């Protein structure tokens, strides 16, 4: 690759990140008897999504000189096809809205939106929170794919919301733009010969299956607060003050810390496209035996904290923002007592949270954490990886937009953990409905502004499960 997009690359990125990769049916303890009906078919996609609902939409705003006539196109993942919504070059409006050098130099853009109703029908007012995490998971997936073919990608999260919503002619009560990916385009032919259109500018709404779409005032109000239109952007050094200070003791693991052994082999890894095909949520398939070794746990943590390969307008180039931390609730890990541990990626060490809990107390803790959990058994998870951050500090230093920025990083970390688990043959499942008050207590976050934001259960899976996986790619 020469660091530029073409039609074939874009098609591959869209297919592997948000297109349907296979239809799957798995028989386990949490699936109803009618799970095999086509009307409720489960479709595997590359990016993780809260509830498997995939509420995001992807649009291509194409300028002159690309692989398609200038206009606005909607990606239809069910057909792996582009739907033309409007003709005419609108990229000047995009550049007007996104004050970043990469956007100013580009003539092709992906705009990622959140369709509120696509998960609000299930999660109601929690839908916006989950949807903004989904954005990070999709951007993380695109970043991994781009890195695998030496295609640098930028995720741009600071822009004039009102202008971009107008570019797509969105009904802002139902759908709004959350992220922009500029696409520097490859000069010359790229193997795609589109038909030529001579039609007036128009828009046809993207397909909506529901006959009735409900709107939620709380969701709309939260989103309005996070919009950047007309507000000054905080300085980069101000936003960085919201990062978590890992405060490493030094360059090596010493003292009372649990030093994680160096994995036998972290690379070469399977191609990211293969990992995306294997990635899935384990649901009721996790088993506690055999326990996870320290080497396996260390490998998951190492892989999950590696950079995703994309660049952001919110962080220094090529460096993670540091807004989140990974911690561990050890349940069935060899040579590691049950309890909470904070992970230091610099020294590759686990630092036990104080006060330490007894085994009997740990059983009470698990019961409290998972009181509302129906699709996982916490006793069967070998470990729970906890993504934490400082939400109050993000609001203080980045303004209301910080809510979106933090959730996007949480989603990217979740995708990293899923891919790391797939690379190591482990099961994985993300959950929001654990009792985070108890999690914060176990990890020693009480008295600080750090909070648990998302939990990921990992471990082995039971053998001999019945599963149908029909590959579409």
């Amino acid at each position: 690759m020469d660091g530029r997009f073409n039609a074939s690359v874009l098609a591959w990125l869209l297919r592997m990140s948000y297109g349907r990769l296979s239809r799957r049916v798995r028989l386990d303890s949490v699936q109803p008897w009618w799970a095999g009906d086509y009307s409720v078919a489960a479709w595997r996609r590359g990016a993780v999504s809260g509830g498997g609902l995939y509420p995001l939409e992807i649009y291509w705003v194409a300028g002159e000189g690309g692989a398609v006539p200038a206009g606005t196109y909607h990606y239809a993942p069910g057909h792996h096809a582009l739907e033309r919504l409007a003709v005419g070059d609108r990229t000047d409006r995009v550049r007007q809205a996104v004050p970043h050098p990469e956007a100013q130099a580009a003539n092709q853009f992906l705009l990622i939106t959140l369709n509120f109703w696509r998960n609000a029908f299930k999660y109601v007012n929690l839908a916006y929170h989950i949807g903004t995490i989904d954005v990070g998971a999709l951007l993380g997936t695109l970043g991994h794919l781009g890195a695998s073919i030496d295609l640098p990608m930028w995720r741009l999260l600071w822009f004039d919301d009102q202008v971009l919503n107008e570019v797509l002619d969105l009904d802002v009560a139902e759908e709004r733009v959350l992220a922009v990916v500029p696409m520097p385009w490859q000069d010359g032919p790229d193997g795609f010969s589109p038909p030529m259109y001579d039609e007036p500018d128009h828009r046809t709404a993207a397909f909506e299956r529901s006959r009735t779409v409900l709107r939620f005032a709380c969701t709309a109000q939260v989103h309005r607060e996070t919009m950047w239109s007309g507000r000054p952007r905080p300085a980069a050094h101000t936003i960085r003050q919201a990062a978590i200070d890992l405060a490493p003791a030094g360059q090596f693991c010493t003292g009372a810390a649990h030093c994680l052994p160096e994995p036998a082999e972290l690379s070469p890894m399977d191609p990211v496209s293969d990992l995306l095909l294997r990635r899935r949520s384990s649901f009721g398939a996790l088993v506690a035996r055999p326990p996870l070794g320290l080497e396996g746990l260390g490998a998951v943590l190492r892989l999950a904290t590696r950079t995703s390969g994309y660049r952001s307008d919110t962080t220094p180039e090529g460096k993670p923002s540091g807004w989140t931390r990974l911690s561990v609730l050890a349940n069935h890990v060899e040579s590691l007592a049950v309890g909470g541990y904070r992970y230091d990626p610099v020294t590759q060490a686990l630092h036990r949270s104080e006060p330490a809990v007894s085994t009997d107390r740990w059983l009470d803790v698990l019961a409290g954490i998972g009181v509302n959990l129906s699709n996982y058994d916490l006793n069967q998870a070998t470990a729970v990886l906890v993504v934490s951050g400082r939400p109050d500090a993000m609001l203080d230093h980045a303004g209301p937009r910080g809510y979106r920025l933090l959730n996007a990083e949480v989603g990217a970390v979740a995708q990293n953990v899923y891919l790391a688990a797939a690379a190591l043959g482990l099961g994985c499942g993300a959950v929001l409905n654990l009792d985070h008050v108890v999690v914060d207590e176990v990890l020693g976050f009480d008295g600080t502004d750090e909070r648990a934001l998302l939990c990921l259960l990992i471990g082995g899976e039971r053998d001999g499960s019945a599963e149908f996986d029909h590959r579409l790619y």
Side-chain angles (χ1 to χ4, degrees):
M1 289 293 300
D2 66 351
R4 294 180 175 273
F5 288 77
N6 59 40
S8 298
V9 167
L10 178 59
W12 179 73
L13 289 170
L14 294 174
R15 163 77 87 173
M16 297 307 303
S17 62
Y18 225 60
R20 292 181 175 180
L21 302 179
S22 69
R23 183 194 172 192
R24 55 190 172 89
V25 178
R26 180 169 183 152
L27 303 181
D28 57 37
S29 59
V30 299
Q31 297 294 337
W33 63 268
W34 39 263
D37 289 357
Y38 187 81
S39 61
V40 293
W43 304 97
R44 187 194 305 272
R45 304 199 205 194
V48 64
S49 172
L53 298 177
Y54 293 95
L56 306 180
E57 302 282 5
I58 303 176
Y59 297 86
W60 178 8
V61 180
E64 300 293 342
V68 294
T72 304
Y73 300 81
H74 170 254
Y75 176 60
H79 304 282
H80 185 52
L82 292 173
E83 301 170 314
R84 183 168 51 86
L85 303 182
V87 296
D89 189 346
R90 299 187 177 187
T91 57
D92 58 335
R93 298 293 311 281
V94 178
R95 288 187 291 272
Q96 172 192 342
V98 189
H100 190 276
E102 291 296 323
Q104 298 303 308
N107 199 37
Q108 313 288 329
F109 299 91
L110 290 182
L111 270 56
I112 299 170
T113 70
L114 172 60
N115 185 321
F116 301 145
W117 176 242
R118 289 276 292 275
N119 61 355
F121 75 89
K122 177 179 179 180
Y123 293 115
V124 194
N125 286 328
L126 187 60
Y128 188 76
H129 183 76
I130 297 174
T132 50
I133 293 176
D134 272 21
V135 170
L138 174 55
L139 292 171
T141 307
L142 291 171
H144 280 294
L145 289 166
S148 71
I149 57 173
D150 296 324
L151 178 65
M153 300 187 68
W154 285 84
R155 62 172 190 178
L156 304 181
L157 304 176
W158 287 97
F159 47 80
D160 188 317
D161 299 69
Q162 182 175 347
V163 172
L164 291 189
N165 292 330
E166 292 174 355
V167 166
L168 296 180
D169 295 326
L170 297 179
D171 181 343
V172 295
E174 298 179 0
E175 182 181 356
R176 304 193 193 186
V177 178
L178 292 187
V180 178
V181 178
M183 298 188 293
W185 204 259
Q186 193 176 84
D187 295 331
D190 53 16
F192 186 74
S193 300
M196 299 303 295
Y197 300 104
D198 184 17
E199 301 178 16
D201 184 54
H202 72 282
R203 186 185 194 279
T204 302
F207 175 74
E208 172 57 61
R209 183 177 182 179
S210 301
R211 295 178 180 175
T212 302
V213 174
L214 302 182
R215 298 176 177 181
F216 299 90
C218 180
T219 296
Q221 180 179 352
V222 171
H223 181 78
R224 279 195 300 270
E225 289 297 319
T226 67
M227 293 176 66
W228 183 46
S229 303
R231 301 181 182 181
R233 174 179 171 175
H237 71 274
T238 300
I239 302 176
R240 284 197 291 272
Q241 294 180 42
I244 293 178
D245 183 10
L246 299 179
Q251 295 182 345
F252 305 99
C253 178
T254 59
H258 294 267
C259 306
L260 295 170
E262 189 70 29
E265 184 174 337
L266 274 181
S267 60
M269 288 177 55
D270 294 334
V272 65
S273 55
D274 289 350
L275 298 181
L276 291 171
L277 286 166
R278 301 206 305 262
R279 184 215 63 79
R280 63 179 174 81
S281 294
S282 295
F283 289 110
L286 292 177
V287 290
R289 295 288 182 269
L292 182 64
L294 274 179
E295 181 178 313
L297 177 60
V300 172
L301 293 170
R302 281 176 171 82
L303 291 173
T305 51
R306 284 182 173 179
T307 179
S308 297
Y310 55 76
R311 303 163 182 176
S312 170
D313 56 354
T314 62
T315 62
E317 182 176 332
K319 297 181 180 179
S321 69
W323 292 331
T324 60
R325 181 211 304 266
L326 269 179
S327 299
V328 179
L329 301 179
N331 198 23
H332 302 286
V333 180
E334 289 181 345
S335 306
L336 202 61
V338 296
Y341 298 82
R342 300 190 192 189
Y343 174 59
D344 180 358
V346 176
T347 61
Q348 301 297 328
L350 294 174
H351 299 270
R352 187 162 189 175
S353 304
E354 300 294 341
V357 298
S358 66
T359 301
D360 292 339
R361 168 61 178 151
W362 183 246
L363 295 177
D364 294 336
V365 168
L366 289 181
I369 293 174
V371 65
N372 297 317
L373 202 60
S374 60
N375 53 352
Y376 287 99
D377 182 353
L378 272 180
N379 288 297
Q380 295 299 319
T382 57
V384 179
L385 304 189
V386 180
V387 187
S388 61
R390 302 171 60 207
D392 290 342
M394 286 296 295
L395 295 176
D396 290 341
H397 296 294
R401 190 67 152 217
Y403 175 69
R404 280 201 230 168
L405 306 183
L406 180 58
N407 278 0
E409 181 165 318
V410 171
V413 173
Q415 183 71 11
N416 287 355
V417 173
Y418 266 97
L419 295 183
L424 297 166
L426 297 173
C428 180
V431 291
L432 270 172
N433 58 333
L434 296 184
D435 190 329
H436 286 189
V437 174
V438 180
V439 175
D440 290 343
E441 177 188 346
V442 173
L443 292 175
F445 294 159
D446 288 349
T448 73
D449 63 352
E450 190 170 349
R451 296 289 179 266
L453 303 174
L454 184 72
C455 297
L456 298 117
L457 285 62
I458 63 170
E461 294 186 321
R462 66 169 55 95
D463 295 329
S465 61
E467 182 170 11
F468 169 79
D469 190 353
H470 176 65
R471 294 286 179 89
L472 303 176
Y473 178 82

